[in-house]
Amino acid sequence: MTKNTFLLFVACLLLSGCAFPSPYTQYDIGADYEVLQSSTNGTQILPKMDAFNASQLIPPVVTEVAWNDSYILAKQLELQPDPLNPDAQTPNQQNARYWIIDLKYNKRFGPYTKKQFEAQKKEFRISSSLQLQKVEKLAQK
């Protein structure tokens, strides 16, 4: 095989659009945000336009989420060192943080404790029908 034939073969292969399975799972929440799960402990909420709204990110590990046209609510577990693997981290089930993103003003509030979160929801007059649900249930929608 000549060099030109090899290059043509490689170019055709690249242009053929071979699909490889993505290690990421994405779910749209509202018009401007998405839940991105890049690994077991890598679920986060981020704006679709990262550069413009990067400060609105809710860091891993987001375990529960809810949204409507006005707000995004999220429960996040802080990561801690994994005692069984010094190179890994694991969610701290004892340290839940709660977040609210106001979609009208594109502003993030939190982290809150559960009590602070409930108080803030009342202050914002967020409907009690907006309930957090496990991120895994998004795949069923």
Side-chain angles (χ1 to χ4, degrees):
M1 180 182 284
T2 68
K3 183 177 178 181
N4 287 341
T5 307
F6 178 74
L7 291 175
L8 181 61
F9 173 75
V10 171
C12 288
L13 184 63
L14 291 174
L15 293 174
S16 68
C18 295
F20 296 101
S22 173
Y24 303 105
T25 304
Q26 291 176 245
Y27 305 103
D28 289 339
I29 54 173
D32 299 322
Y33 288 85
E34 63 189 359
V35 173
L36 176 66
Q37 185 172 16
S38 58
S39 68
T40 305
N41 293 332
T43 305
Q44 58 189 319
I45 295 176
L46 63 156
K48 291 179 183 175
M49 298 179 66
D50 280 351
F52 182 68
N53 297 316
S55 64
Q56 304 316 321
L57 171 117
I58 298 178
V61 175
V62 174
T63 59
E64 296 179 29
V65 65
W67 72 93
N68 60 20
D69 292 337
S70 301
Y71 297 99
I72 295 173
L73 310 178
K75 178 181 177 181
Q76 173 224 3
L77 298 178
E78 194 174 54
L79 290 172
Q80 65 184 7
D82 186 340
L84 303 176
N85 182 352
D87 296 328
Q89 293 182 315
T90 184
N92 181 350
Q93 301 292 335
Q94 307 305 315
N95 194 7
R97 298 174 173 183
Y98 296 85
W99 301 83
I100 299 172
I101 297 177
D102 183 328
L103 296 173
K104 181 178 178 183
Y105 296 105
N106 197 28
K107 188 164 179 166
R108 178 186 69 175
F109 298 91
Y112 295 120
T113 64
K114 178 73 170 172
K115 185 177 180 179
Q116 292 168 327
F117 176 68
E118 294 300 330
Q120 192 65 52
K121 283 176 33 182
K122 284 182 184 175
E123 186 175 321
F124 284 159
R125 295 189 173 123
I126 296 174
S127 171
S128 60
S129 65
L130 187 60
Q131 294 292 316
L132 291 168
Q133 60 180 321
K134 299 243 181 250
V135 169
E136 296 83 29
K137 290 189 177 186
L138 292 175
Q140 299 169 357
K141 287 189 172 187

